């Protein structure tokens, strides 16, 4: 196929993409109190068809070598192309909203004391495990890392994890989501640090010593959280005196190869940081 590098003007493409992603294209054809009409659906299809034609020749995945090479040649088109190829903004917003609703419901039952391994009445059934797993899955894609973060996905995940610390499945999902959101994304790593992400990951490591899935996900999350933002290493050492012991204990368990590598990388980073601190002190 022939790739046409620059067809849409920036202003035109941004306006059109924004309207498509946010659903504004159907607002004129839809009654706010009813489901989308045939005219609205036709308008949406027409807009997408036009966009598809204008972006003809572009591969559908950013993992394709050709995509990366061509975006290197035309860096200004990179974000526009990524947005054009993916949608899902409304889905992400909906999933995060469900998790926020869970938080709101739990705050209403704050007077009920939560015993280890149990939940306030009416909360356990509403635990947004499937939603957190969905965010973890989407976060493997660089575009969705930005999208989820823009909809306050990181602080929402951290808050839910802190409210159900003894639920192994949710701790696994939360740690996995934080790990994937932090891959090659310094902004998300800083957000996770600011929102207490390091603390909930270490707590998961501490509270679930016999769960291989939690231990693996937590170790992978720590590895990603310190990969770019090295100040996170300082926080690990300063606020978690038992972090080295926890990691060494995890290292002795039967973890997947990737997670064992994560433990080694984190321990090595902590050791180097300690050595530098001792040298500076002396």
């Amino acid at each position: 196929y022939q790739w046409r590098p620059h067809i849409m003007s920036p202003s035109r493409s941004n306006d059109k993409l924004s309207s498509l992603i946010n659903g504004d294209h159907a607002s004129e054809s839809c009654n706010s109190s009813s489901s989308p009409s045939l005219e609205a659906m036709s308008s949406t299809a027409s807009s997408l068809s036009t966009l598809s034609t204008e972006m003809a020749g572009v591969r559908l995945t950013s993992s394709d070598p050709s995509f990366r090479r061509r975006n290197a040649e035309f860096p200004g088109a990179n974000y526009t192309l990524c947005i054009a190829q993916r949608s899902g903004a409304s889905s992400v917003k909906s999933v995060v909203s469900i998790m926020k609703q869970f938080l709101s419901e739990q705050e209403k039952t704050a007077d009920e004391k939560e015993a280890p391994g149990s939940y306030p009445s009416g909360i356990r059934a509403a635990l947004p495990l499937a939603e957190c797993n969905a965010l973890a899955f989407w976060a493997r894609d660089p575009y969705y890392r930005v999208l989820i973060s823009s909809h306050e996905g990181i602080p929402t995940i951290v808050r839910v994890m802190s409210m159900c610390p003894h639920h192994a499945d949710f701790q696994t999902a939360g740690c996995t989501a934080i790990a994937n959101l932090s891959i090659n994304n310094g902004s998300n790593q800083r957000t996770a640090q600011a929102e207490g992400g390091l603390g909930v990951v270490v707590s998961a490591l501490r509270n679930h010593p016999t769960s291989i899935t939690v231990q693996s996900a937590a170790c992978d999350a720590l590895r990603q959280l310190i990969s770019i933002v090295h100040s996170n290493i300082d926080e690990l050492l300063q606020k978690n005196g038992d972090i080295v012991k926890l990691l060494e204990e995890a290292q002795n368990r039967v973890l997947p190869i990737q997670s064992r590598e994560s433990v080694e990388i984190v321990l090595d980073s902590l050791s180097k940081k300690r050595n530098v601190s001792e040298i500076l002190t002396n």
Side-chain angles (χ1 to χ4, degrees):
Y1 56 82
Q2 294 293 324
W3 183 68
R4 293 177 291 175
H6 188 71
I7 299 174
M8 301 167 63
S9 65
S11 60
R12 183 185 175 196
S13 63
N14 289 339
D15 292 343
K16 180 172 292 186
L17 291 171
S18 177
S19 65
L20 287 174
I21 291 174
N22 296 321
D24 296 338
H25 54 277
S27 60
E28 296 179 0
S29 303
C30 294
N31 189 313
S32 60
S33 61
S34 62
S35 55
S37 63
L38 291 175
E39 291 80 1
M41 295 173 66
S42 176
S43 174
T44 302
S46 176
S47 299
L48 289 172
S49 177
T50 301
L51 179 63
S52 176
T53 300
E54 293 177 333
M55 299 299 291
V58 178
R59 295 243 185 214
L60 296 180
T61 171
S62 61
S63 62
D64 189 290
S66 299
F67 180 92
R68 292 198 299 270
R69 176 176 59 79
R70 287 162 182 161
N71 276 324
E73 296 171 0
F74 301 93
N78 184 49
Y79 295 107
T80 300
L81 293 176
C82 285
I83 295 174
Q85 292 170 38
R86 301 173 177 86
S87 183
S90 60
S91 298
V92 169
K93 184 177 181 179
S94 176
V95 166
V96 175
S97 295
I98 292 173
M99 297 181 71
K100 288 182 178 179
Q101 184 178 0
F102 164 81
L103 292 171
S104 178
E105 290 176 354
Q106 190 162 23
E107 288 174 356
K108 293 178 182 178
T109 60
D111 293 336
E112 300 182 36
K113 294 183 179 180
E114 179 181 356
S118 64
Y119 304 89
S121 59
I123 291 298
R124 184 165 186 170
L127 190 67
L129 178 59
E131 287 76 14
C132 191
N133 277 322
L135 294 181
F137 179 81
W138 287 332
R140 298 185 301 175
D141 186 297
Y143 166 75
Y144 281 98
R145 289 173 205 152
V146 176
L147 192 60
I148 292 169
S149 179
S150 69
H151 287 291
E152 300 181 343
I154 295 175
T156 302
I157 292 169
V158 170
R159 287 183 62 197
V160 178
M161 287 180 68
S162 66
M163 289 186 174
C164 53
H166 300 284
H167 192 290
D169 289 341
F170 194 89
Q171 294 300 309
T172 299
C175 287
T176 302
I178 291 174
N180 290 344
L181 285 164
S182 300
I183 296 175
N184 298 325
N185 193 313
S187 176
N188 284 356
Q189 291 176 26
R190 293 184 186 91
T191 300
Q193 179 191 30
E195 297 295 337
L198 281 168
V200 295
V201 171
V202 174
S203 293
L205 199 65
R206 186 182 295 119
N207 293 333
H208 301 272
T210 61
S211 173
I212 299 300
T213 56
V214 175
Q215 294 281 306
S216 299
C219 290
D220 292 338
L222 290 177
R223 173 183 181 176
Q224 297 302 333
L225 284 169
I226 67 172
S227 61
I228 296 177
V229 182
H230 299 303
S231 60
N232 286 350
I233 302 176
D234 295 324
E235 182 171 331
L236 278 177
L237 288 171
Q238 293 171 5
K239 296 185 178 181
N240 303 279
D242 60 342
I243 183 61
V244 173
K245 178 183 177 182
L246 290 172
L247 290 170
E248 289 176 344
E249 290 176 350
Q251 195 173 30
N252 294 328
R253 297 186 177 90
V254 185
L255 299 179
I257 294 177
Q258 175 181 314
S259 299
R260 294 183 66 83
E261 292 177 352
S262 296
V263 175
E264 293 173 0
I265 290 172
V266 176
L267 282 173
D268 183 60
S269 298
L270 294 176
S271 177
K272 290 179 179 178
K273 190 68 178 180
R274 278 183 167 177
N275 291 338
V276 170
S277 299
E278 290 175 357
I279 292 174
L280 292 176
T281 301
N282 296 332

